[in-house]
């Protein structure tokens, strides 16, 4: 498996992603989507493959390259 492009640890189960970040202005990102982290403890953005991991959840501290893609929960 290929590791996610970027992993962000968060304390919130609902997160927003627009593809922006250091060196990437929002105008060059993607439409903002809201993602819900479920019982797996992580979710991947369907646009940019950024992974959000819930701090203290089952995926926190796991080898992210060994976890399957999990883009469920995306909504506009």
């Amino acid at each position: 498996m290929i590791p996610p492009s970027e992993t962000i640890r968060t304390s919130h189960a609902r997160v927003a992603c627009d593809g922006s970040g250091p060196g990437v202005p929002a105008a060059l990102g993607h439409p903002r989507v809201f993602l819900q982290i479920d019982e797996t403890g992580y979710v991947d953005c369907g646009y940019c493959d950024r992974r959000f991991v819930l701090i203290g959840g089952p995926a926190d501290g796991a080898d992210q390259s060994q976890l399957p893609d999990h883009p469920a929960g995306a909504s506009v």
Side-chain angles (χ1 to χ4, degrees), residues 7-16 34-45 50-60 70-74:
T7 301
I8 298 174
R9 295 175 70 230
T10 180
S11 58
H12 302 285
R14 186 158 172 85
V15 295
F34 294 92
L35 306 163
Q36 183 69 39
I37 299 173
D38 61 14
E39 66 277 351
T40 61
Y42 70 101
V43 68
D44 297 330
C45 176
R50 186 176 285 163
R51 178 166 289 172
F52 296 89
V53 177
L54 186 63
I55 294 171
D60 192 23
H70 187 55

Side-chain angles (χ1 to χ4, degrees), residues 6 8 16-30 32 48 50 52:
E6 180 182 10
I8 298 174
C17 184
D18 63 6
S20 66
V24 181
L28 297 178
H30 58 71
R32 179 174 291 195
C48 65
R50 186 176 285 163
F52 296 89

Side-chain angles (χ1 to χ4, degrees), residues 53-69:
V53 177
L54 186 63
I55 294 171
D60 192 23
D63 181 356
Q64 298 300 313
S65 66
Q66 298 302 310
L67 296 175
D69 290 345

